[in-house]
Amino acid sequence: RIHTHTHTMSNSINTINPHAKQAQKNQALAINISAARSLQNIIKTNLGPRGTLKMLVGGSGDIRLTKDGCELLNDMHIQHPTAALIARTATAQDDITGDGTSSIVLLIGEMLAQASRFLAENTHPSILIEGMYLAKNEAQKFLREYKVKMQQRMKIDREILVSVARTALRTKVAEDLADQLADIVVDAVTTVQDGKRIDLHMIEIMHMVHKMDKESRFVNGIVLDHGARHPDMNRNMRNCFILTCNISLEYEKSEVNSKFTYKSAKQRQALVDAERRVVDRKVQAIIDLKNEICKNGENFVVINQKGIDPLSLDLFAKNGITALRRAKRRNMERLTLACGGSAINAIEELSPEVLGHADHVYEQLLVEERFTFVEGVKGKSCTILLKGPNLHTIAQIKGAVRDGLRAVKNTLDDNCVIPGAGAFEMELSKHLYKFAETVSGRPKLGVRCFAEAMLAIPKTLATNSGLDPEDCTLEMEDALKKDLTPGLNLQTGKVMDPIQEGILDNYKVKQQILEAATYSATQILYVDSILSANRKTAGQ
Protein backbone atom coordinates (compact mmCIF):
# COMPACT_ATOMS: atom_id res chain seq x y z
CA ARG A 1 0.00 0.00 0.00
CA ILE A 2 2.89 2.40 0.88
CA HIS A 3 4.66 1.55 -2.39
CA THR A 4 1.47 2.34 -4.36
CA HIS A 5 1.08 5.71 -2.59
CA THR A 6 4.72 6.67 -3.28
CA HIS A 7 4.42 5.62 -6.92
CA THR A 8 1.22 7.69 -7.30
CA MET A 9 2.87 10.82 -5.80
CA SER A 10 5.89 10.40 -8.05
CA ASN A 11 3.63 10.11 -11.13
CA SER A 12 1.72 13.23 -10.02
CA ILE A 13 4.89 15.30 -9.75
CA ASN A 14 6.13 14.08 -13.13
CA THR A 15 2.79 15.00 -14.67
CA ILE A 16 2.97 18.55 -13.27
CA ASN A 17 6.62 19.07 -14.25
CA PRO A 18 8.53 16.35 -16.13
CA HIS A 19 11.84 18.06 -15.25
CA ALA A 20 11.20 17.97 -11.49
CA LYS A 21 13.55 16.06 -9.17
CA GLN A 22 12.08 14.54 -6.06
CA ALA A 23 13.36 13.02 -2.80
CA GLN A 24 10.82 10.86 -0.96
CA LYS A 25 10.00 10.76 2.75
CA ASN A 26 12.89 8.84 4.38
CA GLN A 27 15.39 10.17 1.89
CA ALA A 28 14.18 13.77 2.38
CA LEU A 29 14.48 13.52 6.16
CA ALA A 30 17.95 12.01 5.87
CA ILE A 31 19.08 14.84 3.54
CA ASN A 32 17.70 17.54 5.86
CA ILE A 33 19.10 16.04 9.05
CA SER A 34 22.48 15.55 7.38
CA ALA A 35 22.52 19.24 6.29
CA ALA A 36 21.63 20.41 9.81
CA ARG A 37 24.32 18.21 11.36
CA SER A 38 26.91 19.45 8.86
CA LEU A 39 26.18 23.08 9.74
CA GLN A 40 26.24 22.18 13.44
CA ASN A 41 29.69 20.57 13.08
CA ILE A 42 31.05 23.71 11.40
CA ILE A 43 29.69 26.15 14.00
CA LYS A 44 30.03 24.18 17.24
CA THR A 45 33.83 24.57 17.52
CA ASN A 46 33.31 28.35 17.85
CA LEU A 47 31.10 28.17 20.95
CA GLY A 48 32.30 29.66 24.21
CA PRO A 49 35.35 31.67 25.28
CA ARG A 50 37.74 28.85 24.29
CA GLY A 51 36.18 28.24 20.87
CA THR A 52 38.37 28.24 17.76
CA LEU A 53 38.50 30.76 14.92
CA LYS A 54 37.40 30.32 11.30
CA MET A 55 39.29 31.81 8.37
CA LEU A 56 37.06 33.36 5.71
CA VAL A 57 38.76 33.88 2.35
CA GLY A 58 36.94 36.21 -0.05
CA GLY A 59 36.85 35.97 -3.83
CA SER A 60 39.52 38.66 -4.14
CA GLY A 61 41.79 36.85 -1.67
CA ASP A 62 41.00 39.00 1.39
CA ILE A 63 41.22 37.06 4.65
CA ARG A 64 39.19 37.45 7.85
CA LEU A 65 39.55 35.51 11.10
CA THR A 66 36.38 35.33 13.16
CA LYS A 67 34.46 33.19 15.64
CA ASP A 68 31.25 35.23 15.48
CA GLY A 69 28.47 32.84 14.46
CA CYS A 70 26.36 35.51 12.77
CA GLU A 71 29.27 36.76 10.65
CA LEU A 72 30.13 33.21 9.59
CA LEU A 73 26.57 32.32 8.59
CA ASN A 74 26.18 35.57 6.64
CA ASP A 75 29.43 35.21 4.71
CA MET A 76 29.69 31.43 4.09
CA HIS A 77 27.41 31.53 0.99
CA ILE A 78 25.44 28.44 2.05
CA GLN A 79 23.80 26.76 -0.94
CA HIS A 80 21.96 23.82 0.64
CA PRO A 81 18.32 24.97 1.17
CA THR A 82 17.90 23.36 4.62
CA ALA A 83 21.23 24.69 5.91
CA ALA A 84 20.31 28.13 4.51
CA LEU A 85 16.97 27.97 6.36
CA ILE A 86 18.76 27.26 9.66
CA ALA A 87 21.29 30.03 8.94
CA ARG A 88 18.46 32.54 8.39
CA THR A 89 16.85 31.50 11.68
CA ALA A 90 20.16 31.98 13.49
CA THR A 91 20.87 35.40 11.96
CA ALA A 92 17.31 36.49 12.85
CA GLN A 93 18.19 35.53 16.43
CA ASP A 94 21.16 37.91 16.25
CA ASP A 95 18.98 40.71 14.86
CA ILE A 96 16.45 40.32 17.68
CA THR A 97 18.70 39.75 20.70
CA GLY A 98 22.31 40.28 19.53
CA ASP A 99 23.53 36.88 20.80
CA GLY A 100 22.84 33.12 20.72
CA THR A 101 23.58 32.53 17.01
CA SER A 102 25.89 29.55 17.51
CA SER A 103 23.69 28.09 20.27
CA ILE A 104 20.61 28.02 18.07
CA VAL A 105 22.44 26.16 15.26
CA LEU A 106 23.71 23.63 17.82
CA LEU A 107 20.27 23.01 19.29
CA ILE A 108 18.53 22.59 15.93
CA GLY A 109 21.20 20.11 14.79
CA GLU A 110 21.06 18.21 18.07
CA MET A 111 17.24 18.04 18.13
CA LEU A 112 17.24 16.55 14.62
CA ALA A 113 20.06 14.14 15.53
CA GLN A 114 18.10 12.89 18.56
CA ALA A 115 14.93 12.61 16.47
CA SER A 116 16.73 10.55 13.80
CA ARG A 117 17.23 7.71 16.34
CA PHE A 118 13.49 7.31 16.72
CA LEU A 119 12.76 7.91 13.03
CA ALA A 120 15.05 4.97 12.24
CA GLU A 121 12.65 2.82 14.32
CA ASN A 122 9.69 3.98 12.14
CA THR A 123 8.34 6.51 14.68
CA HIS A 124 6.18 9.03 12.82
CA PRO A 125 7.62 12.59 12.83
CA SER A 126 4.32 14.14 13.96
CA ILE A 127 4.54 12.21 17.24
CA LEU A 128 8.02 13.58 17.93
CA ILE A 129 6.92 17.07 16.91
CA GLU A 130 3.99 16.93 19.35
CA GLY A 131 6.39 15.95 22.14
CA MET A 132 8.86 18.71 21.18
CA TYR A 133 6.17 21.37 21.42
CA LEU A 134 5.08 20.02 24.80
CA ALA A 135 8.73 20.23 25.92
CA LYS A 136 9.12 23.75 24.50
CA ASN A 137 6.05 25.03 26.37
CA GLU A 138 7.27 23.41 29.59
CA ALA A 139 10.76 24.88 29.00
CA GLN A 140 9.34 28.40 28.58
CA LYS A 141 7.30 27.95 31.77
CA PHE A 142 10.44 26.74 33.59
CA LEU A 143 12.39 29.76 32.24
CA ARG A 144 9.74 32.20 33.49
CA GLU A 145 9.84 30.62 36.96
CA TYR A 146 13.64 30.67 36.82
CA LYS A 147 13.52 34.40 36.03
CA VAL A 148 11.41 35.12 39.13
CA LYS A 149 13.83 33.08 41.25
CA MET A 150 16.85 34.94 39.86
CA GLN A 151 15.18 38.35 40.36
CA GLN A 152 14.69 37.50 44.02
CA ARG A 153 18.29 36.29 44.34
CA MET A 154 20.08 39.15 42.53
CA LYS A 155 19.48 42.85 41.97
CA ILE A 156 20.80 44.42 38.76
CA ASP A 157 23.67 46.79 39.57
CA ARG A 158 26.85 47.93 37.82
CA GLU A 159 28.78 44.80 38.88
CA ILE A 160 26.15 42.52 37.33
CA LEU A 161 26.10 44.58 34.11
CA VAL A 162 29.91 44.37 33.82
CA SER A 163 29.72 40.58 34.33
CA VAL A 164 27.09 40.25 31.57
CA ALA A 165 29.19 42.36 29.19
CA ARG A 166 32.34 40.40 30.06
CA THR A 167 30.59 37.07 29.41
CA ALA A 168 29.43 38.24 25.97
CA LEU A 169 32.77 39.81 25.01
CA ARG A 170 35.00 36.91 26.09
CA THR A 171 33.38 34.70 23.46
CA LYS A 172 34.54 37.14 20.73
CA VAL A 173 37.90 38.66 21.80
CA ALA A 174 40.84 37.90 24.11
CA GLU A 175 40.11 37.73 27.84
CA ASP A 176 42.15 40.77 28.98
CA LEU A 177 40.74 42.97 26.19
CA ALA A 178 37.19 41.73 26.96
CA ASP A 179 37.57 42.76 30.61
CA GLN A 180 38.65 46.26 29.55
CA LEU A 181 35.85 46.64 26.99
CA ALA A 182 33.22 45.43 29.49
CA ASP A 183 33.62 48.60 31.60
CA ILE A 184 33.55 50.77 28.47
CA VAL A 185 30.33 49.11 27.24
CA VAL A 186 28.55 49.50 30.60
CA ASP A 187 29.61 53.18 30.85
CA ALA A 188 28.21 53.80 27.36
CA VAL A 189 24.82 52.13 27.99
CA THR A 190 24.29 53.78 31.38
CA THR A 191 25.15 57.18 29.83
CA VAL A 192 22.43 56.95 27.17
CA GLN A 193 19.86 55.33 29.50
CA ASP A 194 16.87 57.60 29.91
CA GLY A 195 14.63 56.01 32.51
CA LYS A 196 13.59 52.68 31.01
CA ARG A 197 14.35 53.81 27.44
CA ILE A 198 17.74 52.88 25.99
CA ASP A 199 18.60 54.01 22.45
CA LEU A 200 21.85 52.34 21.36
CA HIS A 201 21.92 54.58 18.26
CA MET A 202 23.01 57.37 20.61
CA ILE A 203 26.30 55.50 21.13
CA GLU A 204 28.72 56.28 18.33
CA ILE A 205 31.40 53.66 17.64
CA MET A 206 34.42 55.47 16.13
CA HIS A 207 37.66 53.81 15.14
CA MET A 208 41.24 54.99 14.66
CA VAL A 209 44.00 52.90 13.09
CA HIS A 210 46.41 53.93 15.81
CA LYS A 211 48.51 52.21 18.50
CA MET A 212 47.14 48.99 20.07
CA ASP A 213 43.66 47.62 20.84
CA LYS A 214 44.26 48.22 24.58
CA GLU A 215 44.17 51.97 23.84
CA SER A 216 40.41 51.81 23.13
CA ARG A 217 38.42 54.01 25.51
CA PHE A 218 35.06 55.51 26.44
CA VAL A 219 34.52 59.15 25.50
CA ASN A 220 31.82 60.99 27.44
CA GLY A 221 30.95 63.14 24.45
CA ILE A 222 31.34 63.15 20.67
CA VAL A 223 34.30 62.38 18.41
CA LEU A 224 34.11 64.11 15.02
CA ASP A 225 36.21 62.77 12.16
CA HIS A 226 37.36 66.22 10.98
CA GLY A 227 38.93 69.35 12.46
CA ALA A 228 39.13 73.14 12.22
CA ARG A 229 40.12 74.46 8.78
CA HIS A 230 42.08 77.57 9.78
CA PRO A 231 45.68 77.46 11.05
CA ASP A 232 45.13 80.22 13.66
CA MET A 233 42.18 78.58 15.38
CA ASN A 234 42.61 77.18 18.87
CA ARG A 235 43.05 73.38 18.93
CA ASN A 236 42.69 72.79 22.69
CA MET A 237 40.00 74.57 24.70
CA ARG A 238 38.37 74.30 28.12
CA ASN A 239 34.92 75.47 29.23
CA CYS A 240 33.39 75.79 25.75
CA PHE A 241 30.04 77.02 24.49
CA ILE A 242 28.92 74.92 21.49
CA LEU A 243 26.83 76.37 18.66
CA THR A 244 25.41 73.69 16.34
CA CYS A 245 23.92 75.13 13.18
CA ASN A 246 22.90 74.39 9.62
CA ILE A 247 23.57 77.81 8.08
CA SER A 248 25.44 78.50 4.87
CA LEU A 249 28.39 80.82 5.59
CA GLU A 250 29.62 80.99 1.99
CA TYR A 251 28.43 82.21 -1.40
CA GLU A 252 25.32 80.33 -2.44
CA LYS A 253 24.21 79.48 -5.94
CA SER A 254 20.55 80.14 -6.65
CA GLU A 255 18.23 77.13 -6.87
CA VAL A 256 16.89 78.28 -10.28
CA ASN A 257 18.75 79.28 -13.41
CA SER A 258 19.53 82.97 -13.09
CA LYS A 259 21.99 85.53 -14.38
CA PHE A 260 23.15 89.02 -13.48
CA THR A 261 23.86 91.45 -16.27
CA TYR A 262 26.22 94.31 -15.60
CA LYS A 263 27.55 97.09 -17.83
CA SER A 264 30.63 98.11 -15.89
CA ALA A 265 33.23 96.88 -13.45
CA LYS A 266 31.64 99.12 -10.81
CA GLN A 267 28.31 97.26 -11.10
CA ARG A 268 30.09 93.88 -10.89
CA GLN A 269 31.94 94.98 -7.74
CA ALA A 270 28.65 96.15 -6.24
CA LEU A 271 27.23 92.64 -6.78
CA VAL A 272 30.26 91.01 -5.13
CA ASP A 273 30.05 93.39 -2.16
CA ALA A 274 26.32 92.72 -1.76
CA GLU A 275 26.90 88.95 -1.70
CA ARG A 276 29.73 89.40 0.79
CA ARG A 277 27.55 91.56 3.05
CA VAL A 278 24.93 88.77 3.27
CA VAL A 279 27.56 86.27 4.54
CA ASP A 280 29.33 88.87 6.74
CA ARG A 281 26.04 89.74 8.43
CA LYS A 282 25.57 86.10 9.48
CA VAL A 283 29.17 85.81 10.68
CA GLN A 284 28.94 89.09 12.61
CA ALA A 285 25.76 87.91 14.36
CA ILE A 286 27.65 84.83 15.64
CA ILE A 287 30.63 86.98 16.71
CA ASP A 288 28.29 89.36 18.58
CA LEU A 289 26.71 86.42 20.45
CA LYS A 290 30.19 85.16 21.41
CA ASN A 291 31.19 88.59 22.73
CA GLU A 292 27.94 88.78 24.69
CA ILE A 293 28.34 85.51 26.63
CA CYS A 294 32.13 84.87 26.75
CA LYS A 295 33.17 87.44 29.36
CA ASN A 296 35.08 85.25 31.82
CA GLY A 297 37.53 83.42 29.56
CA GLU A 298 35.04 80.92 28.09
CA ASN A 299 35.66 79.58 24.59
CA PHE A 300 33.24 79.46 21.68
CA VAL A 301 32.99 76.61 19.12
CA VAL A 302 30.84 76.66 15.97
CA ILE A 303 29.98 73.30 14.37
CA ASN A 304 28.20 73.85 11.06
CA GLN A 305 26.56 71.27 8.81
CA LYS A 306 27.00 73.49 5.73
CA GLY A 307 30.08 75.21 4.35
CA ILE A 308 32.16 78.12 5.76
CA ASP A 309 34.23 80.06 3.22
CA PRO A 310 37.88 81.12 3.89
CA LEU A 311 36.98 84.78 4.59
CA SER A 312 34.42 83.75 7.20
CA LEU A 313 36.92 81.33 8.77
CA ASP A 314 39.43 84.19 8.98
CA LEU A 315 36.88 86.43 10.74
CA PHE A 316 36.10 83.66 13.23
CA ALA A 317 39.81 83.02 13.91
CA LYS A 318 40.49 86.76 14.56
CA ASN A 319 37.67 86.78 17.11
CA GLY A 320 38.82 83.65 18.96
CA ILE A 321 36.10 81.34 17.60
CA THR A 322 36.92 77.77 16.51
CA ALA A 323 34.74 76.71 13.58
CA LEU A 324 34.19 73.25 12.01
CA ARG A 325 32.37 72.93 8.71
CA ARG A 326 30.64 70.12 6.78
CA ALA A 327 29.75 68.14 9.92
CA LYS A 328 27.81 64.92 9.31
CA ARG A 329 24.08 65.05 9.95
CA ARG A 330 24.14 62.13 12.42
CA ASN A 331 26.75 64.02 14.47
CA MET A 332 24.61 67.16 14.43
CA GLU A 333 21.68 65.24 15.91
CA ARG A 334 23.85 63.69 18.60
CA LEU A 335 25.70 66.90 19.45
CA THR A 336 22.58 68.61 20.77
CA LEU A 337 21.69 65.50 22.79
CA ALA A 338 25.20 65.35 24.27
CA CYS A 339 25.99 69.04 24.81
CA GLY A 340 22.50 70.44 25.24
CA GLY A 341 21.08 73.42 23.37
CA SER A 342 19.44 73.08 19.97
CA ALA A 343 20.51 73.18 16.33
CA ILE A 344 19.47 76.29 14.39
CA ASN A 345 18.68 76.66 10.69
CA ALA A 346 18.49 80.45 10.45
CA ILE A 347 20.63 83.25 11.87
CA GLU A 348 17.49 84.88 13.32
CA GLU A 349 17.20 81.98 15.81
CA LEU A 350 20.52 82.90 17.48
CA SER A 351 20.24 83.34 21.25
CA PRO A 352 22.14 82.17 24.36
CA GLU A 353 19.45 79.48 24.92
CA VAL A 354 20.43 77.54 21.76
CA LEU A 355 24.03 77.02 22.95
CA GLY A 356 25.33 73.76 24.39
CA HIS A 357 28.31 73.30 26.68
CA ALA A 358 31.38 71.03 26.87
CA ASP A 359 34.23 71.01 29.41
CA HIS A 360 36.96 70.17 26.89
CA VAL A 361 37.22 70.44 23.10
CA TYR A 362 40.50 69.43 21.45
CA GLU A 363 41.86 68.17 18.15
CA GLN A 364 44.06 65.12 17.50
CA LEU A 365 46.01 64.64 14.28
CA LEU A 366 46.74 61.14 12.95
CA VAL A 367 48.93 61.23 9.83
CA GLU A 368 46.57 63.19 7.52
CA GLU A 369 43.33 62.63 9.44
CA ARG A 370 41.99 65.06 12.03
CA PHE A 371 39.68 64.09 14.91
CA THR A 372 37.91 66.60 17.14
CA PHE A 373 36.96 65.45 20.65
CA VAL A 374 34.06 67.14 22.43
CA GLU A 375 34.28 65.84 26.02
CA GLY A 376 32.84 66.53 29.44
CA VAL A 377 29.17 66.75 28.47
CA LYS A 378 26.10 65.95 30.56
CA GLY A 379 23.73 64.77 27.84
CA LYS A 380 22.40 61.43 26.63
CA SER A 381 24.94 60.61 23.92
CA CYS A 382 28.50 59.28 23.97
CA THR A 383 31.23 57.64 21.90
CA ILE A 384 33.24 54.44 22.12
CA LEU A 385 36.63 55.07 20.53
CA LEU A 386 38.21 51.86 19.23
CA LYS A 387 41.89 51.71 18.38
CA GLY A 388 43.92 48.97 16.75
CA PRO A 389 47.02 48.42 14.60
CA ASN A 390 44.96 47.38 11.54
CA LEU A 391 41.43 47.35 10.15
CA HIS A 392 41.01 43.59 10.76
CA THR A 393 41.58 43.98 14.51
CA ILE A 394 39.23 46.96 14.67
CA ALA A 395 36.46 45.09 12.77
CA GLN A 396 36.74 42.15 15.21
CA ILE A 397 36.54 44.47 18.25
CA LYS A 398 33.66 46.46 16.75
CA GLY A 399 31.55 43.31 16.29
CA ALA A 400 32.28 42.25 19.87
CA VAL A 401 31.38 45.70 21.27
CA ARG A 402 28.03 45.69 19.42
CA ASP A 403 27.20 42.31 21.00
CA GLY A 404 28.28 43.61 24.42
CA LEU A 405 26.04 46.68 24.10
CA ARG A 406 23.04 44.52 23.20
CA ALA A 407 23.75 42.17 26.12
CA VAL A 408 23.79 45.03 28.65
CA LYS A 409 20.64 46.57 27.13
CA ASN A 410 18.85 43.19 27.29
CA THR A 411 19.77 42.85 30.97
CA LEU A 412 18.34 46.27 31.82
CA ASP A 413 15.19 45.55 29.75
CA ASP A 414 14.66 42.13 31.36
CA ASN A 415 15.73 43.26 34.86
CA CYS A 416 17.11 39.75 35.18
CA VAL A 417 20.09 37.52 34.33
CA ILE A 418 20.41 33.76 33.79
CA PRO A 419 23.48 31.79 34.93
CA GLY A 420 25.77 30.80 32.06
CA ALA A 421 28.51 28.16 31.66
CA GLY A 422 25.88 25.51 30.71
CA ALA A 423 24.15 25.71 34.12
CA PHE A 424 20.68 26.69 32.86
CA GLU A 425 20.74 24.02 30.11
CA MET A 426 21.65 21.31 32.66
CA GLU A 427 18.83 22.32 35.01
CA LEU A 428 16.34 22.53 32.13
CA SER A 429 17.38 19.10 30.81
CA LYS A 430 16.87 17.51 34.25
CA HIS A 431 13.47 19.22 34.59
CA LEU A 432 12.33 18.01 31.15
CA TYR A 433 13.35 14.40 31.87
CA LYS A 434 11.10 14.57 34.96
CA PHE A 435 8.35 16.18 32.89
CA ALA A 436 8.60 13.36 30.30
CA GLU A 437 7.50 10.89 32.98
CA THR A 438 4.20 12.78 33.31
CA VAL A 439 3.52 12.67 29.54
CA SER A 440 1.50 9.67 28.47
CA GLY A 441 2.00 7.85 25.18
CA ARG A 442 4.65 8.19 22.50
CA PRO A 443 4.92 12.02 22.55
CA LYS A 444 7.21 11.57 25.57
CA LEU A 445 9.86 10.49 23.02
CA GLY A 446 9.81 14.04 21.60
CA VAL A 447 10.19 15.47 25.13
CA ARG A 448 13.24 13.24 25.66
CA CYS A 449 14.72 14.42 22.34
CA PHE A 450 14.37 18.01 23.52
CA ALA A 451 15.84 17.25 26.97
CA GLU A 452 18.85 15.43 25.50
CA ALA A 453 19.42 18.20 22.93
CA MET A 454 19.78 20.75 25.76
CA LEU A 455 22.95 18.94 26.88
CA ALA A 456 24.62 19.87 23.57
CA ILE A 457 25.60 23.28 25.01
CA PRO A 458 27.57 22.09 28.12
CA LYS A 459 29.04 19.16 26.15
CA THR A 460 30.27 21.46 23.36
CA LEU A 461 31.73 23.93 25.88
CA ALA A 462 33.66 21.02 27.46
CA THR A 463 34.86 19.66 24.10
CA ASN A 464 36.05 23.10 22.93
CA SER A 465 38.08 23.43 26.14
CA GLY A 466 39.84 20.08 25.63
CA LEU A 467 37.81 18.36 28.36
CA ASP A 468 35.86 15.11 28.33
CA PRO A 469 32.19 16.01 27.74
CA GLU A 470 30.77 12.92 29.47
CA ASP A 471 32.85 13.39 32.63
CA CYS A 472 31.88 17.07 32.79
CA THR A 473 28.14 16.46 32.35
CA LEU A 474 28.21 13.69 34.98
CA GLU A 475 29.89 16.06 37.47
CA MET A 476 27.28 18.72 36.70
CA GLU A 477 24.48 16.17 37.25
CA ASP A 478 25.98 15.26 40.62
CA ALA A 479 26.04 18.95 41.57
CA LEU A 480 22.36 19.23 40.59
CA LYS A 481 21.48 16.46 43.04
CA LYS A 482 23.02 18.63 45.79
CA ASP A 483 20.85 21.63 44.70
CA LEU A 484 23.86 23.58 43.43
CA THR A 485 23.94 25.77 40.30
CA PRO A 486 26.09 23.53 38.07
CA GLY A 487 28.30 25.75 35.87
CA LEU A 488 31.32 24.29 34.09
CA ASN A 489 34.78 25.70 34.83
CA LEU A 490 36.47 25.54 31.41
CA GLN A 491 39.97 25.70 32.89
CA THR A 492 39.69 22.82 35.36
CA GLY A 493 36.65 20.87 34.12
CA LYS A 494 35.19 21.06 37.64
CA VAL A 495 31.79 22.40 38.67
CA MET A 496 31.54 26.02 39.84
CA ASP A 497 28.78 28.52 40.59
CA PRO A 498 28.48 30.80 37.52
CA ILE A 499 26.75 33.50 39.58
CA GLN A 500 29.71 33.73 41.97
CA GLU A 501 32.14 33.74 39.02
CA GLY A 502 30.14 36.38 37.13
CA ILE A 503 29.29 34.23 34.09
CA LEU A 504 25.81 35.50 33.23
CA ASP A 505 23.55 35.29 30.17
CA ASN A 506 20.41 37.12 29.04
CA TYR A 507 16.87 35.93 29.73
CA LYS A 508 15.68 37.27 26.37
CA VAL A 509 18.37 35.28 24.49
CA LYS A 510 17.39 31.99 26.17
CA GLN A 511 13.70 32.66 25.55
CA GLN A 512 14.26 33.34 21.85
CA ILE A 513 16.57 30.31 21.41
CA LEU A 514 13.97 27.90 22.81
CA GLU A 515 11.25 29.35 20.59
CA ALA A 516 13.19 29.61 17.32
CA ALA A 517 15.12 26.31 17.61
CA THR A 518 11.94 24.31 18.27
CA TYR A 519 10.08 25.92 15.39
CA SER A 520 12.90 25.35 12.87
CA ALA A 521 13.59 21.76 13.95
CA THR A 522 9.90 20.77 13.82
CA GLN A 523 9.38 22.42 10.43
CA ILE A 524 12.30 20.41 9.02
CA LEU A 525 10.86 17.20 10.53
CA TYR A 526 7.51 17.94 8.85
CA VAL A 527 9.16 17.83 5.40
CA ASP A 528 8.38 14.51 3.67
CA SER A 529 9.42 15.41 0.14
CA ILE A 530 11.97 17.72 -1.46
CA LEU A 531 11.07 19.02 -4.91
CA SER A 532 13.68 20.65 -7.10
CA ALA A 533 11.90 21.97 -10.18
CA ASN A 534 14.00 24.52 -12.05
CA ARG A 535 12.30 26.20 -14.99
CA LYS A 536 13.77 25.03 -18.31
CA THR A 537 14.30 27.42 -21.19
CA ALA A 538 12.30 27.02 -24.39
CA GLY A 539 15.40 26.03 -26.36
CA GLN A 540 16.06 23.11 -24.03
Side-chain angles (χ1 to χ4, degrees), residues 26 43 51 75 122 127 263 321 348 378 387 420 455 485:
N26 293 335
I43 297 295
D75 297 344
N122 293 325
I127 294 169
K263 295 179 181 178
I321 296 173
E348 290 75 21
K378 297 176 182 177
K387 294 187 179 183
L455 297 177
T485 307

Side-chain angles (χ1 to χ4, degrees), residues 36-54:
R37 293 286 284 170
S38 298
L39 192 61
Q40 178 194 12
N41 290 333
I42 292 169
I43 297 295
K44 74 177 183 181
T45 55
N46 296 3
L47 188 73
R50 304 190 76 178
T52 53
L53 294 169
K54 295 283 187 293

